[in-house]
Amino acid sequence: NNNLLFRHAFAKKGRTISVNLTAGFNHKDGYSYLHSITDNYKFIVISDTVNQYTDQLVNGFNYGANLSYTEPIGKKGQLQFSYSPSVTKNKSDQEVFEYDASSGKYSMLDTSYSNKFDNTITTHTVNTSYRVGDRDNMFNVGLSYKYTELGSKQVYPAIGSVNVNFNNVLPNLMWRKKISTKSSINVMYRANTNTPSISQLQNVYNNSNPLQQSVGNPDLKQQVTNMLSTRYSYTNSQKSTSFFANLFLQQADNYITTATYKPAADSLLSNGKILRQGAQLSRPVNMDGY
């Protein structure tokens, strides 16, 4: 990861400009062997044997910038404008090979668990905020517009793509009040977004535990969260006593969570494999009401 920051203060107090550049690169490769024997007891005993080798490679990079400008308003006020673009790109390549007893090698490619997936997230955020007050009494209110472009492309074993755009208006507010020399109250409200990760979007099955398999969901939507926190504090330094009261509220649209499915009978999965009765399949989904 790299970070470059430039800040400049003008002759007028409170007038500043800053430019922040960031860049990062990640590389992850690994392999695993899985040998599993599962006996299913119903009318007869059905044995499922898995003997496979998995080779996985994940490459990614990200870069972004933040341009910020502040302008004083009156004696205790300040207006701020900022613009933040960013790009995050990840490539995942997973190949699974079954064991070939005739050659004694893991040489048979299993396309049902193999996958090649590209994911690109581009964001543009414009923010404006106004702050007034001092250290003891301060009020800040702001509004951000965030545009997110999510492009996902699967190139193996089947070709498919997901291209969605998100437009969000995200308000924020902070108020701090010194009630007395011993007590104060703080209130903060913020809205933010959570874009699905590549592992959540990748439509590939994971059978590392054959009885508890998982799969991604390329149709996941972006999560939007609203958070409100309040804090009251009282401190008496002469008596070495203190009292704190906190209240946190959180609400989310399209909340990203995990759904678990239990088949009532042996079921055929979309990759052609059978999920036995008694096993489980988990998958990330969006839910409202959180």
Side-chain angles (χ1 to χ4, degrees):
N1 292 285
N2 300 277
N3 181 70
L4 180 65
L5 174 64
F6 170 78
R7 299 180 65 186
H8 175 72
F10 295 91
K12 186 175 182 179
K13 185 179 180 180
R15 180 180 291 172
T16 66
I17 189 171
S18 66
V19 180
N20 188 24
L21 304 177
T22 60
F25 171 78
N26 65 82
H27 173 86
K28 177 183 178 182
D29 62 82
Y31 64 90
S32 64
Y33 292 91
L34 173 63
H35 187 201
S36 169
I37 301 176
T38 304
D39 292 333
N40 301 274
Y41 297 88
K42 203 170 183 181
F43 303 107
I44 59 174
V45 179
I46 302 176
S47 294
D48 292 330
T49 301
V50 177
N51 191 2
Q52 66 187 31
Y53 164 80
T54 301
D55 185 7
Q56 187 170 36
L57 173 65
V58 178
N59 283 322
F61 65 86
N62 64 82
Y63 54 88
N66 181 70
L67 174 64
S68 180
Y69 174 80
T70 63
E71 178 69 22
I73 304 294
K75 294 183 177 181
K76 294 185 177 182
Q78 188 180 66
L79 194 63
Q80 177 175 300
F81 301 94
S82 65
Y83 168 61
S84 303
S86 69
V87 176
T88 301
K89 187 175 182 64
N90 287 285
K91 290 186 176 182
S92 176
D93 185 355
Q94 175 174 294
E95 294 182 332
V96 178
F97 296 91
E98 294 183 354
Y99 182 75
D100 184 2
S102 60
S103 63
K105 297 180 180 180
Y106 293 90
S107 57
M108 297 187 298
L109 180 65
D110 189 344
T111 58
S112 60
Y113 294 113
S114 300
N115 189 270
K116 290 185 179 181
F117 192 83
D118 295 347
N119 185 48
T120 303
I121 300 174
T122 304
T123 64
H124 297 273
T125 304
V126 180
N127 177 70
T128 180
S129 63
Y130 173 71
R131 185 184 68 186
V132 63
D134 50 30
R135 184 178 64 178
D136 296 332
N137 300 285
M138 190 271 293
F139 177 78
N140 184 91
V141 62
L143 190 66
S144 298
Y145 168 73
K146 186 174 183 180
Y147 171 78
T148 304
E149 185 177 297
L150 178 61
S152 304
K153 182 170 65 175
Q154 179 176 291
V155 296
Y156 184 83
I159 296 177
S161 62
V162 177
N163 294 283
V164 292
N165 300 326
F166 301 102
N167 294 274
N168 302 105
V169 177
L170 308 171
N172 62 82
L173 180 148
M174 184 169 63
W175 176 60
R176 182 170 64 240
K177 173 70 175 178
K178 186 177 181 179
I179 302 174
S180 67
T181 56
K182 299 178 181 180
S183 60
S184 64
I185 187 170
N186 291 268
V187 178
M188 185 180 71
Y189 164 76
R190 181 175 297 276
N192 56 51
T193 61
N194 179 22
T195 303
S197 65
I198 185 172
S199 60
Q200 293 174 319
L201 291 167
Q202 195 171 11
N203 190 27
V204 59
Y205 287 86
N206 182 347
N207 68 332
S208 57
N209 183 345
L211 295 180
Q212 295 179 337
Q213 299 190 38
S214 62
V215 64
N217 181 3
D219 296 325
L220 277 180
K221 299 178 181 178
Q222 188 182 52
Q223 174 181 316
V224 181
T225 305
N226 296 282
M227 298 182 62
L228 175 67
S229 64
T230 62
R231 176 182 175 90
Y232 171 81
S233 61
Y234 174 86
T235 303
N236 190 331
S237 57
Q238 295 178 345
K239 295 183 178 181
S240 298
T241 59
S242 60
F243 173 79
F244 300 94
N246 299 278
L247 175 65
F248 301 95
L249 300 174
Q250 181 173 311
Q251 178 271 339
D253 294 325
N254 293 322
Y255 178 70
I256 299 177
T257 186
T258 301
T260 301
Y261 304 92
K262 299 180 180 180
D266 292 351
S267 302
L268 184 65
L269 300 177
S270 60
N271 65 347
K273 301 293 184 177
I274 295 178
L275 185 68
R276 299 292 182 184
Q277 181 182 5
Q280 297 179 6
L281 177 67
S282 61
R283 185 173 187 254
V285 295
N286 292 113
M287 297 188 71
D288 282 328
Y290 176 84

